[in-house]
């Protein structure tokens, strides 16, 4: 609350407003065009500037109009709307901020240029998104991963259903959000958590909006990939309605209300090929008759040759149904001029269903021959034999978000303002998967010998094209023959429940002064977060061939779609035998859902509680350095974090034998509770120098922190026993212990410096550049940490491999460029053309080591066992990110093309302690068009991912193709009515 007040108090000191929400320059297809457009726009800036900045600089400082004159063109009676208005408002927000900020702001409901908040944010300078199911989800700032960013909703933390701290922005419709700010530099009153930056979402305050609005928007969606699904329609829809009004209550003051609701029913079918998430270092000098012979870290580091092979590969066809409902509401009451009361509420519910059909080679390390691999140890060609599975998987997910809070601001005196805020945020996600596996066998379902006469099918693995791995079977095997999947029936019910709850309260006070120091803000905050993950698996196997035959014949289905992987290069597998999964459950078990197991305890369950106490003091100043106006803030934030993590491990009995002891699992569980705590001080300084009425220089220095994801802090432990029947002691009987998480992880800390120069020649234009530097205290590395376990009444200290903060120093330095301009120097109607470009370059030497094949450290001795594959960088780190936007607005017509680019990056799995995964570069093009028929009715058309950019991932080294997804393009057409 404090920073909104200080900005209002300092508005009279701000010069010309503007904004830098430009599009990035990407480095490939848009580079040459972007450079030409940049040069053209610089020329237009000079031509468009209508006020002599030297003359304007002599205007009286007492006149706000004089201060903003340099940024205005001579068209004061024109009401600017649409995309141009959004750009102007966003530039104005950036111009007046104390910190280094980029924004996306609109004065009208529903005018943010995107379907979701994620897609809107990725049009802001330095922001880019991670794509899932063809849409923008998690956001990375300045090329750094989403876990290094903090997101607040009306100044509060928001819960998450994935187990990390990154907000799924798809749950918030852009039509119901009024503004977005990204704080690139920190200030003391911001909630901690943003090493890369802080994303702040703001809902509408109805009294500040100041007018009545009733709006309804309906969009139809056409998805070409959905059209390929047999028996499914290609159309979905999205409807949004909002209402804003204000009421004069007489002696009770003023009351404002804002309500918004949305129904989204847009399906996202998917085609994909994926290898397993575990890769092995195989010895090419031996021909194993079973799985390949592995080499150790020590052997690989000593020079033994090896190649990287996955344990399985899968082709997946997926049909989905996705329905989302969202509601946002706010109530603003000003009983008098001194009190401002705000209540807000957000709710979203998602009902999601996936009907998956997988064709899986379950043993791709088995009997490998003719192996070819490159100098990065990537297996690019091999022949082998593998069991082949036809797996049906029916997944349903119910996800519910509930958030809101109440804030009160009281102007106690002319100088003292006191505010308080209480909030609650909760996400519940319940995912139920029912799957049935059928496997190949020497005999088919009719007990006749198959052409291969073997459970395992010969195949060829070919990744020499560097993009899409191609799998081809022995031509004697027909993957479309249902009768060949005749054995090893396994039914699994997997129910995963996640809950993330945050309760928070804060109290702030601000006191205004005369002179250099304009204001002091102090405040405190408490938050309590609890993350729970419960997994329950019920598994049934059966080997009655007569039952197999009956169910197999009763539940056969045609392959669900046409043109499977048509867009992938040279893929020979385009269909296979599929079955109705729920029919199989009924046939084998007599019910579609056997229900939850009697015991919901599991090693991979998590129960993490995090309590945070924080306080800050911040001073805001406004003065002159010689003849140069200077304004900004300085302060410090103090943060205490206390963590408790409860997990489970398998129960073990100690059994005496003649030569010592042995361990036996007792089908029970033992509880493991681990704690952690840390204190951090986060100082910050922001200084803004008004070099001229149109030029601002900004300097920022600050310390920032980003905590590990809650799922990374799980305390579950899986124990693998040594082979053998007698051991001298308990420790010798344990082979290894696998950690589900690392509760001892500390936050990523960084010292940061930013230097920005911004030019605001007119209200449509900004040219800005920022250089920044971040120094980290260390990266993440696998370590062997001794943990104490009570087994058979004895406390035993056993080393557990898990991730830990390393002592290695690392840094990031980067450059961020922004250019936004309307070509007002062109003759009408071409003066409606405009462009926005943005580009971010980041260079980092941060290191994340592979949990299986990377460096591992013994923290007690400091001894490093070298890894055999390269380390990854920061999770989510991209060296190059950028976007380019070209728009045209003439009367009621608005056209927009947006191109976004993100270079490759490492993306860890939720839960951590997994192998390295890399995402290849993305190139996305979105198109939008709107036409205002009149002031009440507008028509809109949008096209997303128009060139069907595929998402490709690699493991565990870059270029080792692990997975590629195709989602297809999406098209929307609709109308909006305003009253």
């Amino acid at each position: 609350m404090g920073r909104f007040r200080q900005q209002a108090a300092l508005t009279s000191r701000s010069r010309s407003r503007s904004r830098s929400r430009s599009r990035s320059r990407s480095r490939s297809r848009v580079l040459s065009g972007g450079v030409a457009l940049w040069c053209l726009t610089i020329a237009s800036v000079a031509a468009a500037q209508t006020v002599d900045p030297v003359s304007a600089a002599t205007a009286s400082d007492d006149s706000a109009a004089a201060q903003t004159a340099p940024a205005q063109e001579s068209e004061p009676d024109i009401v600017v709307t649409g995309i141009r208005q959004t750009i102007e408002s966003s530039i104005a927000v950036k111009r007046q901020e104390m910190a280094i900020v980029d924004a996306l702001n609109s004065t009208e409901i529903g005018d943010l240029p995107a379907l979701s908040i994620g897609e809107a944010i990725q049009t802001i300078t330095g922001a880019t998104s991670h794509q899932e199911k063809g849409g923008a989800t998690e956001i990375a700032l300045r090329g750094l991963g989403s876990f290094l960013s903090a997101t607040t909703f009306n100044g509060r933390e928001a819960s998450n259903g994935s187990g990390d701290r990154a907000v799924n922005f798809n749950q918030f419709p852009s039509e119901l959000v009024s503004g977005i700010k990204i704080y690139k530099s920190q200030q003391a009153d911001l909630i901690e958590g943003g090493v890369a930056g802080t994303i702040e979402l703001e809902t509408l305050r109805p009294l500040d909006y100041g007018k009545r609005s009733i709006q309804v928007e309906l969009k139809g969606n056409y998805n070409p990939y959905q059209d390929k699904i047999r028996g499914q329609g290609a159309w979905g829809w999205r409807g949004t309605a909002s209402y804003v009004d204000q009421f004069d209550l007489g002696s009770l003051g003023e009351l404002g209300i804002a309500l918004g609701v949305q129904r989204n029913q847009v399906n996202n079918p998917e085609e994909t090929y994926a290898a397993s998430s575990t890769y092995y270092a195989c010895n090419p000098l031996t021909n194993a008759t079973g799985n390949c012979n592995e080499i150790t870290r020590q052997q690989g580091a000593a020079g033994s040759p090896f190649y990287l092979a996955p344990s399985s590969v899968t082709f997946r066809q997926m049909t989905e149904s996705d329905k989302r409902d969202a509601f946002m509401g706010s109530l603003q009451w000003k009983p008098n001029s001194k009190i401002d009361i705000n209540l807000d509420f957000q709710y979203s519910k998602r009902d999601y269903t996936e009907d998956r059909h997988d064709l899986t080679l379950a043993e791709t390390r088995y009997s490998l021959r003719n192996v070819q691999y490159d100098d990065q140890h990537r297996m690019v060609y091999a022949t082998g034999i593998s069991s082949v599975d036809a797996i049906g998987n029916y997944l349903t997910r119910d996800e519910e978000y509930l958030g809101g809070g109440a804030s009160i601001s009281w102007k106690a005196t002319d100088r003292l303002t006191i505010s308080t805020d209480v909030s609650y945020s909760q996400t519940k996600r319940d995912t139920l998967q029912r799957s049935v596996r059928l496997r190949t066998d020497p005999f088919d379902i009719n007990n006749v010998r198959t052409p291969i006469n073997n459970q395992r099918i010969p195949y060829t693995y070919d990744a020499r094209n560097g993009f899409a791995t191609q799998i081809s079977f022995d031509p004697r095997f027909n993957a479309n023959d249902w009768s060949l999947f005749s054995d090893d029936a396994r039914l699994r019910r997997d129910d995963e429940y996640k809950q993330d709850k945050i309760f928070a309260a804060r109290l702030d006070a601000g006191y205004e002064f005369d002179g250099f120091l304009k204001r002091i803000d102090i405040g405190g905050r408490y938050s309590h977060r609890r993350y729970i993950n419960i997994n329950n698996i019920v598994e049934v196997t059966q080997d009655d061939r007569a039952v197999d035959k009956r169910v197999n014949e009763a539940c056969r289905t045609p392959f669900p779609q046409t043109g499977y992987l048509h867009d992938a290069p040279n893929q020979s597998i385009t269909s296979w035998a599929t079955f109705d999964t729920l029919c199989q459950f009924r046939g084998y078990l007599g019910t579609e859902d056997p229900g939850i197991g009697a015991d919901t305890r599991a090693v991979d369950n998590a129960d993490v509680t995090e309590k945070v106490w924080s306080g800050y003091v911040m001073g805001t100043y406004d003065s002159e350095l010689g003849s140069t106006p200077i304004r900004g803030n300085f302060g410090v934030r103090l943060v205490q974090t206390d963590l408790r993590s409860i997990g489970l491990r398998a129960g073990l009995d100690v059994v005496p034998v003649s030569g010592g002891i042995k361990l036996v699992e007792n089908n029970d569980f033992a509880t493991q509770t681990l704690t952690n705590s840390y204190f951090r001080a986060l100082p910050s300084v922001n200084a803004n120098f008004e070099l001229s009425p149109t030029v601002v220089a900004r300097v920022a220095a600050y310390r920032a922190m980003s905590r590990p994801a809650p799922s990374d802090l799980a305390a579950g432990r899986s124990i693998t026993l040594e082979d053998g029947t007698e051991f001298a002691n308990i420790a010798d009987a344990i082979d290894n212990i696998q950690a589900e998480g690392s509760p001892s992880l500390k936050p990523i800390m960084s010292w940061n410096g930013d230097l920005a120069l911004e030019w605001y020649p007119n209200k449509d234009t900004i040219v800005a550049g920022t250089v920044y530097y971040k120094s980290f205290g260390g990266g993440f590395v696998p370590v062997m940490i001794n943990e104490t376990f009570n087994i058979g009444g004895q406390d035993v200290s056993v080393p557990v491999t898990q991730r830990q903060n390393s002592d290695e120093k690392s840094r990031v330095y980067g450059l961020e460029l922004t250019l936004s301009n309307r070509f007002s120097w062109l003759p009408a109607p071409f003066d409606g053309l405009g462009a926005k470009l943005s580009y971010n370059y980041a260079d980092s030497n941060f290191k994340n080591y592979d949990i299986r094949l990377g460096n591992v450290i013994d923290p007690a001795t400091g001894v490093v066992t070298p890894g055999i594959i390269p380390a990854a960088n920061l999770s989510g780190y991209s060296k190059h990110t950028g976007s380019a936007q070209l728009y045209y607005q003439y009367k009621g017509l608005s056209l927009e093309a947006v191109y976004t680019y993100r270079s490759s990056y490492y993306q860890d799995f939720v839960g951590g302690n997994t192998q390295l995964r890399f995402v290849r570069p993305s190139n996305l093009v979105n198109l939008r068009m709107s036409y205002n028929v009149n002031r009440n009715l507008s028509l809109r058309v949008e096209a997303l991912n128009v060139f069907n950019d595929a998402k490709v991932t690699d493991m565990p080294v870059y270029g080792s193709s692990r997975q590629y997804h195709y989602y297809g393009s999406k098209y929307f057409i609709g109308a909006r009515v305003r009253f």
Side-chain angles (χ1 to χ4, degrees), residues 1 5 205-207 252 254-256 330-336 338-344 405-410 420:
M1 297 296 294
R5 271 195 178 65
R205 291 197 168 186
L207 290 180
L252 296 179
E254 298 176 289
L255 180 69
S330 62
L331 185 72
Q332 185 179 12
W333 178 34
K334 291 184 177 180
N336 53 54
K338 295 182 178 296
I339 298 177
D340 189 355
I341 301 173
N342 285 272
L343 306 176
D344 62 90
S407 65
I408 302 174
S409 176
W410 174 40
T420 185

mmCIF file of all heavy atoms in Angstrom, residues 1 5 205-207 252 254-256 330-336 338-344 405-410 420:
data_model
loop_
_atom_site.group_PDB
_atom_site.id
_atom_site.type_symbol
_atom_site.label_atom_id
_atom_site.label_comp_id
_atom_site.label_asym_id
_atom_site.label_seq_id
_atom_site.Cartn_x
_atom_site.Cartn_y
_atom_site.Cartn_z
ATOM 1 N N MET A 1 0.829 -1.205 0.000
ATOM 2 C CA MET A 1 0.000 0.000 0.000
ATOM 3 C C MET A 1 0.858 1.248 0.000
ATOM 4 O O MET A 1 0.529 2.264 -0.601
ATOM 5 C CB MET A 1 -0.907 0.002 1.237
ATOM 6 C CG MET A 1 -1.892 -1.148 1.275
ATOM 7 S SD MET A 1 -3.067 -1.092 -0.071
ATOM 8 C CE MET A 1 -3.941 0.399 0.355
ATOM 9 N N ARG A 5 0.940 5.069 -2.453
ATOM 10 C CA ARG A 5 0.788 6.414 -1.940
ATOM 11 C C ARG A 5 1.963 7.291 -2.303
ATOM 12 O O ARG A 5 1.838 8.440 -2.603
ATOM 13 C CB ARG A 5 0.661 6.347 -0.432
ATOM 14 C CG ARG A 5 -0.735 6.187 -0.157
ATOM 15 C CD ARG A 5 -1.393 6.359 1.057
ATOM 16 N NE ARG A 5 -2.760 6.120 0.791
ATOM 17 C CZ ARG A 5 -3.207 4.944 0.426
ATOM 18 N NH1 ARG A 5 -2.429 3.968 0.287
ATOM 19 N NH2 ARG A 5 -4.468 4.795 0.173
ATOM 20 N N ARG A 205 -9.937 -1.264 -9.164
ATOM 21 C CA ARG A 205 -10.567 -0.622 -8.015
ATOM 22 C C ARG A 205 -11.696 0.242 -8.545
ATOM 23 O O ARG A 205 -11.468 1.228 -9.258
ATOM 24 C CB ARG A 205 -9.545 0.210 -7.246
ATOM 25 C CG ARG A 205 -8.512 -0.656 -6.557
ATOM 26 C CD ARG A 205 -7.765 0.086 -5.483
ATOM 27 N NE ARG A 205 -6.992 -0.811 -4.651
ATOM 28 C CZ ARG A 205 -6.327 -0.436 -3.573
ATOM 29 N NH1 ARG A 205 -6.360 0.844 -3.197
ATOM 30 N NH2 ARG A 205 -5.662 -1.305 -2.862
ATOM 31 N N PRO A 206 -12.916 -0.130 -8.234
ATOM 32 C CA PRO A 206 -14.061 0.466 -8.941
ATOM 33 C C PRO A 206 -14.217 1.972 -8.744
ATOM 34 O O PRO A 206 -14.628 2.671 -9.670
ATOM 35 C CB PRO A 206 -15.262 -0.302 -8.387
ATOM 36 C CG PRO A 206 -14.778 -0.929 -7.122
ATOM 37 C CD PRO A 206 -13.330 -1.189 -7.302
ATOM 38 N N LEU A 207 -13.906 2.513 -7.550
ATOM 39 C CA LEU A 207 -14.023 3.958 -7.366
ATOM 40 C C LEU A 207 -12.950 4.704 -8.148
ATOM 41 O O LEU A 207 -13.201 5.789 -8.680
ATOM 42 C CB LEU A 207 -13.932 4.316 -5.880
ATOM 43 C CG LEU A 207 -15.127 3.911 -5.018
ATOM 44 C CD1 LEU A 207 -14.913 4.332 -3.570
ATOM 45 C CD2 LEU A 207 -16.422 4.509 -5.555
ATOM 46 N N LEU A 252 -22.581 8.029 4.358
ATOM 47 C CA LEU A 252 -21.743 6.839 4.472
ATOM 48 C C LEU A 252 -20.620 6.820 3.448
ATOM 49 O O LEU A 252 -19.848 5.873 3.380
ATOM 50 C CB LEU A 252 -22.599 5.578 4.340
ATOM 51 C CG LEU A 252 -23.637 5.350 5.438
ATOM 52 C CD1 LEU A 252 -24.428 4.079 5.170
ATOM 53 C CD2 LEU A 252 -22.959 5.276 6.809
ATOM 54 N N GLU A 254 -18.744 6.780 -0.354
ATOM 55 C CA GLU A 254 -18.877 6.236 -1.701
ATOM 56 C C GLU A 254 -18.584 4.740 -1.688
ATOM 57 O O GLU A 254 -17.706 4.265 -0.961
ATOM 58 C CB GLU A 254 -17.891 6.906 -2.656
ATOM 59 C CG GLU A 254 -18.094 8.395 -2.834
ATOM 60 C CD GLU A 254 -17.007 8.968 -3.726
ATOM 61 O OE1 GLU A 254 -15.852 9.045 -3.265
ATOM 62 O OE2 GLU A 254 -17.305 9.320 -4.878
ATOM 63 N N LEU A 255 -19.307 4.014 -2.550
ATOM 64 C CA LEU A 255 -19.131 2.570 -2.659
ATOM 65 C C LEU A 255 -18.951 2.203 -4.127
ATOM 66 O O LEU A 255 -19.697 2.669 -4.994
ATOM 67 C CB LEU A 255 -20.342 1.831 -2.082
ATOM 68 C CG LEU A 255 -20.293 0.294 -2.140
ATOM 69 C CD1 LEU A 255 -19.222 -0.235 -1.179
ATOM 70 C CD2 LEU A 255 -21.661 -0.290 -1.803
ATOM 71 N N GLY A 256 -17.960 1.388 -4.414
ATOM 72 C CA GLY A 256 -17.745 0.911 -5.767
ATOM 73 C C GLY A 256 -17.716 -0.607 -5.793
ATOM 74 O O GLY A 256 -17.262 -1.255 -4.845
ATOM 75 N N SER A 330 -14.434 -7.225 -6.596
ATOM 76 C CA SER A 330 -13.823 -6.284 -5.651
ATOM 77 C C SER A 330 -14.855 -5.276 -5.195
ATOM 78 O O SER A 330 -15.775 -4.908 -5.942
ATOM 79 C CB SER A 330 -12.619 -5.580 -6.280
ATOM 80 O OG SER A 330 -12.995 -4.822 -7.406
ATOM 81 N N LEU A 331 -14.691 -4.855 -3.965
ATOM 82 C CA LEU A 331 -15.576 -3.870 -3.350
ATOM 83 C C LEU A 331 -14.703 -2.790 -2.739
ATOM 84 O O LEU A 331 -13.782 -3.085 -1.970
ATOM 85 C CB LEU A 331 -16.427 -4.541 -2.270
ATOM 86 C CG LEU A 331 -17.507 -3.679 -1.605
ATOM 87 C CD1 LEU A 331 -18.650 -3.436 -2.582
ATOM 88 C CD2 LEU A 331 -18.029 -4.377 -0.350
ATOM 89 N N GLN A 332 -14.963 -1.550 -3.106
ATOM 90 C CA GLN A 332 -14.192 -0.428 -2.574
ATOM 91 C C GLN A 332 -15.145 0.545 -1.894
ATOM 92 O O GLN A 332 -16.125 0.999 -2.491
ATOM 93 C CB GLN A 332 -13.407 0.274 -3.689
ATOM 94 C CG GLN A 332 -12.493 1.385 -3.191
ATOM 95 C CD GLN A 332 -11.712 2.038 -4.318
ATOM 96 O OE1 GLN A 332 -11.995 1.820 -5.487
ATOM 97 N NE2 GLN A 332 -10.723 2.847 -3.967
ATOM 98 N N TRP A 333 -14.825 0.865 -0.648
ATOM 99 C CA TRP A 333 -15.695 1.761 0.129
ATOM 100 C C TRP A 333 -14.826 2.862 0.736
ATOM 101 O O TRP A 333 -13.842 2.601 1.418
ATOM 102 C CB TRP A 333 -16.409 0.978 1.224
ATOM 103 C CG TRP A 333 -17.279 1.826 2.113
ATOM 104 C CD1 TRP A 333 -18.002 2.930 1.764
ATOM 105 C CD2 TRP A 333 -17.511 1.633 3.516
ATOM 106 N NE1 TRP A 333 -18.677 3.437 2.840
ATOM 107 C CE2 TRP A 333 -18.399 2.654 3.946
ATOM 108 C CE3 TRP A 333 -17.080 0.704 4.446
ATOM 109 C CZ2 TRP A 333 -18.835 2.759 5.254
ATOM 110 C CZ3 TRP A 333 -17.510 0.795 5.754
ATOM 111 C CH2 TRP A 333 -18.394 1.817 6.156
ATOM 112 N N LYS A 334 -15.209 4.090 0.468
ATOM 113 C CA LYS A 334 -14.565 5.252 1.070
ATOM 114 C C LYS A 334 -15.607 5.980 1.915
ATOM 115 O O LYS A 334 -16.370 6.805 1.409
ATOM 116 C CB LYS A 334 -14.011 6.178 -0.002
ATOM 117 C CG LYS A 334 -12.830 5.604 -0.767
ATOM 118 C CD LYS A 334 -12.259 6.612 -1.769
ATOM 119 C CE LYS A 334 -11.043 6.073 -2.472
ATOM 120 N NZ LYS A 334 -10.481 7.051 -3.454
ATOM 121 N N PRO A 335 -15.687 5.660 3.204
ATOM 122 C CA PRO A 335 -16.688 6.325 4.049
ATOM 123 C C PRO A 335 -16.413 7.816 4.210
ATOM 124 O O PRO A 335 -17.322 8.588 4.467
ATOM 125 C CB PRO A 335 -16.570 5.593 5.387
ATOM 126 C CG PRO A 335 -15.235 4.942 5.368
ATOM 127 C CD PRO A 335 -14.928 4.652 3.939
ATOM 128 N N ASN A 336 -15.148 8.202 4.053
ATOM 129 C CA ASN A 336 -14.784 9.616 4.087
ATOM 130 C C ASN A 336 -13.451 9.767 3.366
ATOM 131 O O ASN A 336 -12.909 8.796 2.816
ATOM 132 C CB ASN A 336 -14.712 10.144 5.531
ATOM 133 C CG ASN A 336 -13.819 9.287 6.408
ATOM 134 O OD1 ASN A 336 -12.667 9.044 6.075
ATOM 135 N ND2 ASN A 336 -14.358 8.826 7.533
ATOM 136 N N LYS A 338 -10.576 10.104 4.488
ATOM 137 C CA LYS A 338 -9.414 9.578 5.190
ATOM 138 C C LYS A 338 -9.324 8.050 5.173
ATOM 139 O O LYS A 338 -8.265 7.483 5.463
ATOM 140 C CB LYS A 338 -9.425 10.058 6.643
ATOM 141 C CG LYS A 338 -9.277 11.567 6.805
ATOM 142 C CD LYS A 338 -9.239 11.960 8.260
ATOM 143 C CE LYS A 338 -9.041 13.478 8.413
ATOM 144 N NZ LYS A 338 -7.731 13.888 7.883
ATOM 145 N N ILE A 339 -10.401 7.373 4.869
ATOM 146 C CA ILE A 339 -10.426 5.901 4.965
ATOM 147 C C ILE A 339 -10.764 5.311 3.596
ATOM 148 O O ILE A 339 -11.711 5.749 2.934
ATOM 149 C CB ILE A 339 -11.445 5.425 6.018
ATOM 150 C CG1 ILE A 339 -11.049 5.952 7.405
ATOM 151 C CG2 ILE A 339 -11.523 3.898 6.031
ATOM 152 C CD1 ILE A 339 -12.041 5.590 8.492
ATOM 153 N N ASP A 340 -9.988 4.314 3.203
ATOM 154 C CA ASP A 340 -10.221 3.590 1.955
ATOM 155 C C ASP A 340 -10.189 2.100 2.277
ATOM 156 O O ASP A 340 -9.162 1.555 2.706
ATOM 157 C CB ASP A 340 -9.131 3.941 0.935
ATOM 158 C CG ASP A 340 -9.424 3.391 -0.451
ATOM 159 O OD1 ASP A 340 -10.411 2.665 -0.610
ATOM 160 O OD2 ASP A 340 -8.632 3.680 -1.374
ATOM 161 N N ILE A 341 -11.319 1.432 2.090
ATOM 162 C CA ILE A 341 -11.454 0.007 2.411
ATOM 163 C C ILE A 341 -11.643 -0.765 1.111
ATOM 164 O O ILE A 341 -12.502 -0.414 0.291
ATOM 165 C CB ILE A 341 -12.641 -0.248 3.360
ATOM 166 C CG1 ILE A 341 -12.451 0.540 4.663
ATOM 167 C CG2 ILE A 341 -12.799 -1.732 3.643
ATOM 168 C CD1 ILE A 341 -13.658 0.486 5.580
ATOM 169 N N ASN A 342 -10.848 -1.821 0.931
ATOM 170 C CA ASN A 342 -10.931 -2.631 -0.284
ATOM 171 C C ASN A 342 -11.038 -4.115 0.068
ATOM 172 O O ASN A 342 -10.255 -4.622 0.881
ATOM 173 C CB ASN A 342 -9.695 -2.421 -1.160
ATOM 174 C CG ASN A 342 -9.724 -1.088 -1.879
ATOM 175 O OD1 ASN A 342 -10.255 -0.972 -2.970
ATOM 176 N ND2 ASN A 342 -9.129 -0.069 -1.244
ATOM 177 N N LEU A 343 -12.009 -4.758 -0.514
ATOM 178 C CA LEU A 343 -12.164 -6.208 -0.420
ATOM 179 C C LEU A 343 -12.068 -6.777 -1.831
ATOM 180 O O LEU A 343 -12.647 -6.222 -2.761
ATOM 181 C CB LEU A 343 -13.509 -6.586 0.197
ATOM 182 C CG LEU A 343 -13.878 -5.972 1.552
ATOM 183 C CD1 LEU A 343 -15.283 -6.391 1.943
ATOM 184 C CD2 LEU A 343 -12.890 -6.419 2.617
ATOM 185 N N ASP A 344 -11.336 -7.868 -1.981
ATOM 186 C CA ASP A 344 -11.288 -8.502 -3.300
ATOM 187 C C ASP A 344 -11.299 -10.012 -3.148
ATOM 188 O O ASP A 344 -10.911 -10.564 -2.109
ATOM 189 C CB ASP A 344 -10.062 -8.037 -4.094
ATOM 190 C CG ASP A 344 -8.758 -8.393 -3.434
ATOM 191 O OD1 ASP A 344 -8.240 -9.488 -3.717
ATOM 192 O OD2 ASP A 344 -8.237 -7.591 -2.635
ATOM 193 N N GLY A 405 -8.684 -11.032 -0.095
ATOM 194 C CA GLY A 405 -8.187 -10.349 1.079
ATOM 195 C C GLY A 405 -8.922 -9.053 1.336
ATOM 196 O O GLY A 405 -9.823 -8.651 0.576
ATOM 197 N N ALA A 406 -8.534 -8.419 2.412
ATOM 198 C CA ALA A 406 -9.121 -7.134 2.808
ATOM 199 C C ALA A 406 -8.003 -6.190 3.199
ATOM 200 O O ALA A 406 -7.046 -6.583 3.884
ATOM 201 C CB ALA A 406 -10.078 -7.330 3.981
ATOM 202 N N SER A 407 -8.115 -4.961 2.755
ATOM 203 C CA SER A 407 -7.119 -3.949 3.108
ATOM 204 C C SER A 407 -7.828 -2.674 3.530
ATOM 205 O O SER A 407 -8.895 -2.332 3.011
ATOM 206 C CB SER A 407 -6.181 -3.673 1.933
ATOM 207 O OG SER A 407 -6.885 -3.104 0.847
ATOM 208 N N ILE A 408 -7.218 -1.994 4.468
ATOM 209 C CA ILE A 408 -7.737 -0.720 4.963
ATOM 210 C C ILE A 408 -6.597 0.290 4.988
ATOM 211 O O ILE A 408 -5.518 -0.005 5.521
ATOM 212 C CB ILE A 408 -8.343 -0.859 6.369
ATOM 213 C CG1 ILE A 408 -9.464 -1.894 6.384
ATOM 214 C CG2 ILE A 408 -8.862 0.484 6.865
ATOM 215 C CD1 ILE A 408 -10.011 -2.171 7.783
ATOM 216 N N SER A 409 -6.837 1.432 4.414
ATOM 217 C CA SER A 409 -5.874 2.527 4.468
ATOM 218 C C SER A 409 -6.521 3.699 5.207
ATOM 219 O O SER A 409 -7.639 4.109 4.872
ATOM 220 C CB SER A 409 -5.465 2.946 3.053
ATOM 221 O OG SER A 409 -4.607 4.057 3.095
ATOM 222 N N TRP A 410 -5.782 4.207 6.192
ATOM 223 C CA TRP A 410 -6.317 5.282 7.034
ATOM 224 C C TRP A 410 -5.336 6.448 7.024
ATOM 225 O O TRP A 410 -4.176 6.320 7.394
ATOM 226 C CB TRP A 410 -6.518 4.770 8.453
ATOM 227 C CG TRP A 410 -6.933 5.833 9.438
ATOM 228 C CD1 TRP A 410 -7.810 6.848 9.231
ATOM 229 C CD2 TRP A 410 -6.476 5.967 10.793
ATOM 230 N NE1 TRP A 410 -7.942 7.615 10.358
ATOM 231 C CE2 TRP A 410 -7.140 7.098 11.338
ATOM 232 C CE3 TRP A 410 -5.598 5.253 11.600
ATOM 233 C CZ2 TRP A 410 -6.925 7.516 12.649
ATOM 234 C CZ3 TRP A 410 -5.384 5.662 12.903
ATOM 235 C CH2 TRP A 410 -6.047 6.782 13.419
ATOM 236 N N THR A 420 -3.308 -1.696 6.477
ATOM 237 C CA THR A 420 -3.182 -3.107 6.861
ATOM 238 C C THR A 420 -3.820 -3.972 5.793
ATOM 239 O O THR A 420 -4.700 -3.516 5.040
ATOM 240 C CB THR A 420 -3.839 -3.365 8.229
ATOM 241 O OG1 THR A 420 -3.592 -4.718 8.619
ATOM 242 C CG2 THR A 420 -5.337 -3.141 8.168
#
